[in-house]
Amino acid sequence: KAGVTQTPRYLIKTRGQQVTLSCSPISGHRSVSWYQQTPGQGLQFLFEYFSETQRNKGNFPGRFSGRQFSNSRSEMNVSTLELGDSALYLCASSIGLTVSGNTIYFGEGSWLTVV
Amino acid sequence: GESVGLHLPTLSVQEGDNSIINCAYSNSASDYFIWYKQESGKGPQFIIDIRSNMDKRQGQRVTVLLNKTVKHLSLQIAATQPGDSAVYFCAEAPLSFGAGTTVTVRA
């Protein structure tokens, strides 16, 4: 079956703009989590959604937000973009909540460059 | 806070040799660990996992060892191939990732 799908794969935005990234989980997976990956900070957890509700949240400012739809698809939004937001944004899905020890499977990511 | 870390940021291995990648974790209550492989320009790919009630788990050419006494995790890759060149992450479920070890396979 199809893996985790993220769109767009690459995008360039200007400082101050906002961006929305989309994620379609593996069929049957109800949990979607988002991560930011940068060379300096590695993989950092943003938030996790399950049944359309945010269940966990990392240590990121309120400019980073997300949501999940009834079909488990998820979007994340970053408002008022800063240069430091340039990163690879990864979406991962799992059957259930990650806190329950469910394996997460990653998408290929969305490369965001802020200029 | 709790953290997961890898011992070495880089590892150079001769093709055909075995590779060992190490990881230390700090949360003694953790009961599920995962290894991921990330190739350049791609997302992390699940390799193998292990639960705390096990000491060892084997996959195809990979073995994960868990030592709960010293809170240490390792990934062994047998007969390393050029396609094994990537960054390897250990993850402590839920949601803590090591910084990654870059494995380079020499021909």
Side-chain angles (χ1 to χ4, degrees), chain A residues 9 35 37 43 45 88 90 98-99 101 103-108, chain B residues 32 34 36 38 41-44 46 49 51 89 93-95 97:
Chain A
R9 287 296 318 279
Y35 302 82
Q37 187 176 37
L43 259 171
F45 169 70
L88 175 65
L90 290 160
T98 57
V99 70
T103 304
I104 61 172
Y105 297 90
F106 287 91
E108 297 290 18
Chain B
Y32 181 52
I34 312 165
Y36 289 94
Q38 187 173 21
K42 297 186 177 181
F46 172 88
D49 59 0
R51 298 199 182 269
F89 299 93
L95 313 171
F97 293 88

Side-chain angles (χ1 to χ4, degrees), chain A residues 56-75:
Chain A
N56 286 297
K57 189 177 188 302
N59 188 27
F60 277 81
R63 299 186 297 108
F64 293 81
S65 62
R67 59 177 176 169
Q68 186 180 35
F69 304 96
S70 58
N71 61 358
S72 295
R73 191 176 68 83
S74 177
E75 290 180 347

Side-chain angles (χ1 to χ4, degrees), chain A residues 26 28-33 35 48-50 56 92-106, chain B residues 31-36 46 48-51 91-97:
Chain A
I26 293 171
H29 285 195
R30 297 175 61 193
S31 170
V32 173
S33 49
Y35 302 82
E48 179 181 14
Y49 285 86
F50 182 84
N56 286 297
S93 77
S94 58
I95 289 176
L97 284 170
T98 57
V99 70
S100 300
N102 290 291
T103 304
I104 61 172
Y105 297 90
F106 287 91
Chain B
D31 62 0
Y32 181 52
F33 304 88
I34 312 165
W35 280 99
Y36 289 94
F46 172 88
I48 192 168
D49 59 0
I50 189 167
R51 298 199 182 269
E92 174 185 5
L95 313 171
S96 295
F97 293 88

